[in-house]
Amino acid sequence: EKVLVDETIYNDFSNERRESVLKYPEEYKKKLIYYRENWQVLVHPYDLGRRLIMLANKLPFWATLRRIKRRLGL
């Protein structure tokens, strides 16, 4: 009735629900993505171990290693 759900995304199962089916303004979506990506640092700002892990995960080298590992089934 209030058109809160994007029906094209809702009916498309190829994206495996990687994005919200709710209609948010673009600025709000960016804010949600920021909080999702930085949640550990925002919640635990002084935990150096978590920060190092997050930094390492953002490096392309680690992403490549994870892809290789998945392909090998390890």
Side-chain angles (χ1 to χ4, degrees), residues 1 3-5 15 20 25 27 31 33 35-36 38 41 48 52 66-67:
E1 185 178 303
V3 192
L4 299 174
V5 175
N15 68 5
S20 175
E27 185 176 311
K31 190 181 289 189
I33 291 169
Y35 284 118
R36 183 187 66 208
N38 296 294
V41 173
L48 185 58
L52 289 174
R66 279 194 301 275
R67 263 187 263 120

Side-chain angles (χ1 to χ4, degrees), residues 25-66:
E26 197 61 37
E27 185 176 311
Y28 188 70
K29 281 183 185 181
K30 288 178 183 178
K31 190 181 289 189
L32 287 175
I33 291 169
Y34 169 80
Y35 284 118
R36 183 187 66 208
E37 290 175 351
N38 296 294
W39 181 255
Q40 292 297 326
V41 173
L42 294 168
V43 172
H44 305 282
Y46 302 108
D47 189 343
L48 185 58
R50 289 179 197 263
R51 284 182 175 227
L52 289 174
I53 289 170
M54 286 189 67
L55 277 174
N57 286 335
K58 289 183 180 182
L59 295 174
F61 172 75
W62 293 111
T64 304
L65 285 179
R66 279 194 301 275

